[in-house]
Amino acid sequence: MGWNSDTDSIPYVHRMYEDEDACAGLIKNCDVLMLGWTGQDKASLTERLIKERLDSGKPVIRVSERIYREGRWKAISPRGLKAKYEEHIKYKNSPVYMLCAGAYVSGDFSLIGAYPGKMYKWGYYPPLRQYTDEALDEMLYKDGDQLRICLASRLIKLKHPEFAVTAAEILREKEIDFHIDVVGDGPLAIALSKEIRQRELLTNITLHGAVNPDKVRDIMEKSHVFIFGSNYLEGWGAVVNEAMNSACAVIASSEAGAVPYLIEDGVNGLTFDNCDENELRKKLTDFINLSTEEKRALQKNAYKTIETTWNAKCAAERLLSFCKSITGGTNYNTPKDGPMSIAKVLKAPGFIRTLKEDNHLE
């Protein structure tokens, strides 16, 4: 994503604030302009150049997370609609396309009539780790193994870190030999630690705090299950990619942006709705009741999903093919699933659902 990255040595990175002429030329004259969120003032040179490009009729590909994450009812705002018209709706009949970085993005833009028939699945692509068949087999659950579970996130309300305690109580009730690793830090760390002590789960749950990304992946590789509890405010959730790549059977909230794209319930993971503890209990119980071979199949299918389809190489190849089709006037051979497949409109959590959560981004 570029945070804390030194890009000085990367030859293809150009900064507007260092070389306006070169950057302006690239925006105006490139075959395809791909736009993320710029965060620029509308009067800035960058924004003016982008508007000129959009008005020119030359191909533009936009990438976006949800625009109504806190509720689609916000689409009724006249001021907001005016801004959305200028940025999105105005170009619905132009060669401007939307890559949806989350499963509910297409629904947000469909609500305002933007990008009809021109929205495609997209996402985030953490580094891919590939394993030999022998190494993969070692990562899968075996009879007699202690069941290893992982959660990794900032410890904030929208990510529901308390699900670690929920899971531990279920497993203890069922007399399962287990251990849970919780990776991450945040404002709920103290409360979570206190809850673990009060429920006498210190030997079952380890709080690792914040660790570096490689260490997170190492912990995932030693886990059989990954619990992902983020609500609808989670635009994507790249830890789901990483956990699946680590051959974890992910038990995930269906509200987070990555989940409907990456997980088919019962095939390569399990999903539960509304961040409901009872739903999580049911899905974890379902996993426990699977045979060893069924558990291993979920893990293996999770790994294959990332290894074969939802990775940077596959996404880049498909994007390049798409760019060649829109610049060359040829038909794009749309894949059935994965990056650059059609982004279907999915129903997002409604107004009543938002009243049940702390409905603001942290």
Side-chain angles (χ1 to χ4, degrees):
M1 295 292 291
W3 334 125
N4 303 319
S5 294
D6 177 12
T7 57
D8 288 341
S9 62
I10 302 176
Y12 54 81
V13 172
H14 302 271
R15 301 176 178 85
M16 177 66 78
Y17 58 84
E18 291 180 347
D19 194 344
E20 285 188 358
D21 290 341
C23 291
L26 288 169
I27 292 171
K28 290 178 180 179
N29 302 317
C30 62
D31 294 320
V32 179
L33 178 65
M34 191 167 176
L35 288 173
W37 181 73
T38 60
Q40 301 284 336
D41 181 271
K42 293 303 177 186
S44 72
L45 173 61
T46 303
E47 289 298 320
R48 283 188 280 116
L49 288 166
I50 289 171
K51 186 177 185 308
E52 287 176 15
R53 173 75 187 209
L54 288 164
D55 291 337
S56 72
K58 295 178 180 178
V60 174
I61 298 174
R62 305 203 76 136
V63 184
S64 180
E65 290 189 8
R66 294 194 63 188
I67 52 174
Y68 298 123
R69 230 185 297 190
E70 293 167 278
R72 286 181 179 165
W73 54 271
K74 290 194 173 186
I76 64 175
S77 162
R79 182 177 179 183
L81 274 176
K82 183 178 184 300
K84 297 296 184 294
Y85 174 81
E86 290 296 328
E87 195 169 2
H88 302 289
I89 305 168
K90 181 178 179 180
Y91 303 103
K92 67 179 183 179
N93 296 319
S94 301
V96 183
Y97 308 86
M98 174 56 67
L99 304 190
C100 302
Y104 300 101
V105 175
S106 55
D108 286 4
F109 284 107
S110 178
L111 187 66
I112 59 173
Y115 311 105
K118 297 186 293 182
M119 292 187 279
Y120 299 88
K121 291 183 182 179
W122 198 244
Y124 295 94
Y125 308 97
L128 174 68
R129 288 190 181 184
Q130 293 181 290
Y131 307 97
T132 64
D133 290 343
E134 292 77 12
L136 183 62
D137 186 70
E138 282 300 308
M139 295 159 67
L140 304 181
Y141 180 81
K142 298 175 185 63
D143 286 332
D145 279 356
Q146 181 184 62
L147 184 63
R148 307 271 322 181
I149 296 176
C150 178
L151 290 82
S153 71
R154 284 189 64 217
L155 304 185
I156 56 179
K157 290 180 180 179
L158 74 88
K159 296 178 185 284
H160 289 284
E162 73 277 7
F163 286 166
V165 174
T166 303
E169 290 189 321
I170 296 166
L171 294 163
R172 185 164 61 179
E173 287 169 10
K174 295 185 178 297
E175 299 182 344
I176 304 293
D177 181 20
F178 75 95
H179 191 84
I180 298 177
D181 293 292
V182 179
V183 181
D185 203 353
L188 296 182
I190 294 174
L192 183 61
S193 178
K194 181 179 179 181
E195 186 82 357
I196 290 168
R197 286 197 307 274
Q198 288 179 340
R199 296 180 184 271
E200 299 181 348
L201 290 167
L202 286 170
T203 59
N204 300 106
I205 302 177
T206 299
L207 298 180
H208 292 268
V211 301
N212 68 58
D214 286 337
K215 176 65 174 175
V216 177
R217 291 298 300 269
D218 292 342
I219 293 171
M220 287 178 174
E221 288 175 354
K222 293 178 175 63
S223 303
H224 306 112
V225 175
F226 185 87
I227 294 176
F228 181 69
S230 290
N231 69 16
Y232 52 84
L233 294 171
E234 184 78 71
W236 182 258
V239 289
V240 177
N241 305 57
E242 293 174 318
M244 293 174 74
N245 184 198
S246 303
C248 291
V250 180
I251 302 177
S253 160
S254 61
E255 294 181 340
V259 175
Y261 280 2
L262 299 183
I263 298 179
E264 183 178 353
D265 187 49
V267 176
N268 61 353
L270 298 169
T271 64
F272 61 98
D273 298 331
N274 302 319
C275 291
D276 187 300
E277 279 198 8
N278 291 325
E279 288 288 315
L280 172 60
R281 285 176 176 271
K282 181 179 182 302
K283 290 295 182 175
L284 183 53
T285 301
D286 287 346
F287 179 81
I288 293 166
N289 291 335
L290 293 175
S291 68
T292 297
E293 283 308 308
E294 288 171 328
K295 290 182 176 76
R296 289 167 62 88
L298 277 184
Q299 292 180 263
K300 191 179 294 185
N301 290 343
Y303 171 73
K304 290 297 182 183
T305 297
I306 305 301
E307 196 258 346
T308 62
T309 307
W310 277 100
N311 58 69
K313 184 176 185 294
C314 179
E317 288 173 348
R318 291 181 178 186
L319 177 62
L320 182 58
S321 175
F322 180 77
C323 290
K324 287 179 177 178
S325 73
I326 61 176
T327 56
T330 58
N331 291 328
Y332 174 55
N333 186 20
T334 310
K336 291 182 179 179
D337 199 10
M340 299 308 299
S341 61
I342 297 297
K344 296 178 180 178
V345 174
L346 300 182
K347 183 180 178 181
F351 178 69
I352 299 301
R353 172 75 184 105
T354 67
L355 299 178
K356 298 177 182 179
E357 294 274 330
D358 185 4
N359 188 41
H360 70 278
L361 294 165
E362 298 184 55

